Amino acid sequence: MTNSTTSKHLMWLYFTRVQTEDICICNNCKMHISYQNSNTTNAVTHLEYKHSSIFVDFNYKKAVYDAAKKPNPKLSMSQSTIDALLPVGAAKYSSNDQRQQNIIQKIAEMIAVDVQPYSYVENKGFNLLLN
């Protein structure tokens, strides 16, 4: 784990600490895990090897938490339109063409349903998909 504060904070979503002992209990399988000196390594390793899907969830939440803490100079107080975020020349049809409007609508739905940032359309893989 690169950020121990984040790991310790998020770990308690998956484990319960036993205050009277140096252990925590996995909320999923009830296994007792050593928790000495506030060290989360054993608990996180348990998630990784015994509950891989939960470990993926843990890492996702950690990444979201870490990203939220980092300042992003690209963010502004105004919201761009999807048209404005698409690379210049990315449109295969004119902006008035119904096909173009349908594509933009589907991109907007995908971003909303998957809770993606609008800047997702700047990603290389997304642009490869559209080309």
Side-chain angles (χ1 to χ4, degrees):
M1 295 291 103
T2 58
N3 185 331
S4 62
T5 304
T6 301
S7 299
K8 289 176 188 173
H9 169 74
L10 294 174
M11 188 185 97
W12 301 117
L13 296 172
Y14 310 96
F15 294 90
T16 302
R17 184 164 184 203
V18 178
Q19 297 294 334
T20 58
E21 301 177 42
D22 288 337
I23 63 168
C24 58
I25 300 172
C26 175
N27 294 340
N28 191 57
C29 69
K30 308 302 181 205
M31 184 172 189
H32 292 209
I33 310 292
S34 175
Y35 180 69
Q36 296 178 346
N37 303 320
S38 299
N39 187 333
T40 62
T41 302
N42 292 334
V44 173
T45 301
H46 173 78
L47 287 180
E48 182 178 7
Y49 290 102
K50 300 296 183 182
H51 310 292
S52 58
S53 62
I54 295 172
F55 182 68
V56 169
D57 182 64
F58 171 81
N59 279 329
Y60 173 77
K61 287 178 180 171
K62 181 184 178 308
V64 168
Y65 182 86
D66 288 346
K69 290 181 73 175
K70 291 180 184 175
N72 187 343
K74 288 185 176 182
L75 294 179
S76 68
M77 296 308 290
S78 62
Q79 187 172 5
S80 300
T81 64
I82 291 176
D83 284 334
L85 291 173
L86 289 172
V88 174
K92 299 290 184 189
Y93 311 105
S94 77
S95 60
N96 296 329
D97 191 305
Q98 186 59 44
R99 293 173 290 189
Q100 181 72 8
Q101 295 303 316
N102 289 341
I103 290 169
I104 290 171
Q105 180 64 34
K106 293 299 180 186
I107 291 171
E109 288 173 8
M110 179 198 69
I111 288 172
V113 168
D114 292 342
V115 192
Q116 295 293 330
Y118 285 121
S119 61
Y120 181 79
V121 299
E122 297 171 356
N123 293 343
K124 185 175 182 175
F126 181 82
N127 284 290
L128 289 172
L129 172 71
L130 291 183
N131 289 329

